[in-house]
Amino acid sequence: MSSRTFMLRPAGLGLLMLMLTLSADQLSKYWILYGLDLPARGSVKVLPFLNFTMVWNHAVTFGMFGGLGGAGRIVFSAIALAVACCLLVWIFRTHSKLTAACVGAITGGAIGNVMDRVRYGAVVDFLHAHAFGWSWYVFNVADSAIVCAVCMLLVQNFLAGGQQQDNVKTG
């Protein structure tokens, strides 16, 4: 099978999305840390509703489980890697290109955040959306990819009307 044929299959598309998400996440974090030097600057206004604000996230979403201290780095990384392995199995078993692409984006985002925990001891968060007195938590490209892909999977499932659309390979 040629590489072109593989890329047209769901697994190929899923792996492509994984690599694109992981690359975009890691390149954006590298630029934030070393190009823009956001740790020294703290926060930079980008648009009236968006700032780059440096946050080292030692916990998980919304600061949950932050009380684990240094062990959190190992626990969160191990859990994320176990989930990523399960997601890789899903990518290779699905017949749906949309499912494979979404699961690939989720996997790439999860791996990107694990890489941060291993390299820096915390996840690099820097996107800060705000408007009209409302402020969202600070997040990164990996987080965005995960949330968008999960939403797409939910919409896909909802539109399927309870019918099994994925037709996962067995055996």
Side-chain angles (χ1 to χ4, degrees):
M1 167 179 15
S2 73
S3 61
R4 179 176 164 88
T5 304
F6 178 72
M7 291 311 295
L8 297 175
R9 295 176 185 260
L13 184 58
L15 292 176
L16 177 64
M17 284 302 296
L18 184 158
M19 293 309 298
L20 288 173
T21 301
L22 180 59
S23 297
D25 176 62
Q26 291 298 295
L27 288 171
S28 66
K29 291 171 179 173
Y30 183 85
W31 180 75
I32 283 294
L33 294 174
Y34 303 109
L36 187 60
D37 193 22
L38 195 59
R41 298 173 79 178
S43 187
V44 175
K45 184 176 181 175
V46 178
L47 297 168
F49 55 87
L50 179 69
N51 289 11
F52 289 155
T53 301
M54 188 66 225
V55 173
W56 293 101
N57 186 353
H58 296 275
V60 291
T61 304
F62 306 117
M64 291 187 303
F65 308 114
L68 292 176
R73 171 183 179 181
I74 296 165
V75 171
F76 300 144
S77 295
I79 291 170
L81 287 176
V83 169
C85 289
C86 294
L87 292 172
L88 281 170
V89 170
W90 190 3
I91 289 171
F92 281 98
R93 288 190 172 187
T94 186
H95 289 286
S96 166
K97 289 182 179 181
L98 178 60
T99 298
C102 290
V103 175
I106 294 166
T107 308
I111 292 170
N113 284 340
V114 167
M115 289 173 69
D116 287 4
R117 289 188 194 287
V118 170
R119 187 180 299 133
Y120 307 116
V123 175
V124 176
D125 287 337
F126 61 91
L127 295 168
H128 181 206
H130 55 86
F132 310 109
W134 172 83
S135 179
W136 193 244
Y137 71 102
V138 181
F139 56 100
N140 60 43
V141 172
D143 300 334
S144 300
I146 291 168
V147 169
C148 291
V150 167
C151 288
M152 285 296 298
L153 287 172
L154 291 172
V155 168
Q156 178 189 30
N157 191 26
F158 176 76
L159 293 177
Q163 298 174 2
Q164 186 175 359
Q165 294 283 11
D166 200 22
N167 298 327
V168 173
K169 298 177 207 168
T170 55

